[in-house]
Amino acid sequence: MSEIHPEKSENPPERTVLLMSAVCEASDLLRSLAMPCPPGDSVKAAINRAARRASTYLARPMTFGRAEDIWRKEARAIRAEEMDALRRAAKREAFRDETTAVEARLARIEAALVAIDPDFHGEAIVALRRALRPAGQIAGEVTR
């Protein structure tokens, strides 16, 4: 005789795949677009900043009300163009952050070489300065 256990899942745990809903993903993307937040920043300012960054990739700018609904996960649905815009904007911000980190690292290496012996490391310093230049140009092209 078989008993029915409603509290147990029919799918074994190894098959269970957790999927994030579109509203949750959009909210997470919008929140990431608001970063970095300056000290003392309000939630309203963060939502405005995120909406402005996402609006770069939308035909019509995202309104504060719509951005707030997504931020608070109260939106009933996320349109495909909104999700695409949020993903593209988040990707752009991630690339910008990575480029900034690489530029800072190259600048620290250059400063260390200059401090040690600028005459001996002259060629390396010139190469680092040459490497820094294209990184800034590429970042400028991507952010447009």
Side-chain angles (χ1 to χ4, degrees), residues 11 15 21 25 27 29-32 39 41 47 58 64-65 83 87 90 93 99 117-118 122 127 130-131 137-138 141:
N11 296 330
R15 285 189 179 174
S21 73
E25 182 183 356
S27 177
L29 289 170
L30 198 64
R31 287 169 184 262
S32 73
D41 196 23
I47 293 171
L58 290 169
F64 175 80
M83 187 62 84
R87 287 177 179 152
E93 292 298 317
T99 302
D117 187 0
R130 211 175 300 129
Q137 292 170 352
I138 291 169
E141 292 171 6

Side-chain angles (χ1 to χ4, degrees), residues 4-5 17 50 54-55 58 61 70 76 83 87 95 102 119 129:
I4 298 174
H5 297 285
V17 178
S55 292
L58 290 169
I70 293 171
R76 291 177 181 248
M83 187 62 84
R87 287 177 179 152
F95 180 79
V102 168
D119 296 331
R129 288 181 180 156

Side-chain angles (χ1 to χ4, degrees), residues 98-110 132:
E98 188 176 329
T99 302
T100 302
V102 168
E103 288 174 348
R105 188 172 183 191
L106 288 175
R108 285 193 306 271
I109 293 170
E110 178 188 349
L132 275 170

Side-chain angles (χ1 to χ4, degrees), residues 48 51 54 57 82-83 97-98 122-123 139 141:
N48 273 325
Y57 297 103
E82 288 175 327
M83 187 62 84
D97 292 345
E98 188 176 329
E123 290 179 26
E141 292 171 6

Side-chain angles (χ1 to χ4, degrees), residues 60-139:
R60 291 182 302 178
M62 184 179 286
T63 64
F64 175 80
R66 178 65 178 160
E68 185 179 27
D69 285 346
I70 293 171
W71 181 280
R72 299 188 192 286
K73 299 178 185 173
E74 295 172 352
R76 291 177 181 248
I78 304 296
R79 294 187 304 273
E81 62 269 8
E82 288 175 327
M83 187 62 84
D84 290 344
L86 289 169
R87 287 177 179 152
R88 286 183 66 195
K91 194 176 205 178
R92 181 189 77 179
E93 292 298 317
F95 180 79
R96 182 185 295 170
D97 292 345
E98 188 176 329
T99 302
T100 302
V102 168
E103 288 174 348
R105 188 172 183 191
L106 288 175
R108 285 193 306 271
I109 293 170
E110 178 188 349
L113 292 176
V114 168
I116 294 170
D117 187 0
D119 296 331
F120 181 77
H121 297 292
E123 290 179 26
I125 293 169
V126 170
L128 283 170
R129 288 181 180 156
R130 211 175 300 129
L132 275 170
R133 198 170 310 123
Q137 292 170 352
I138 291 169

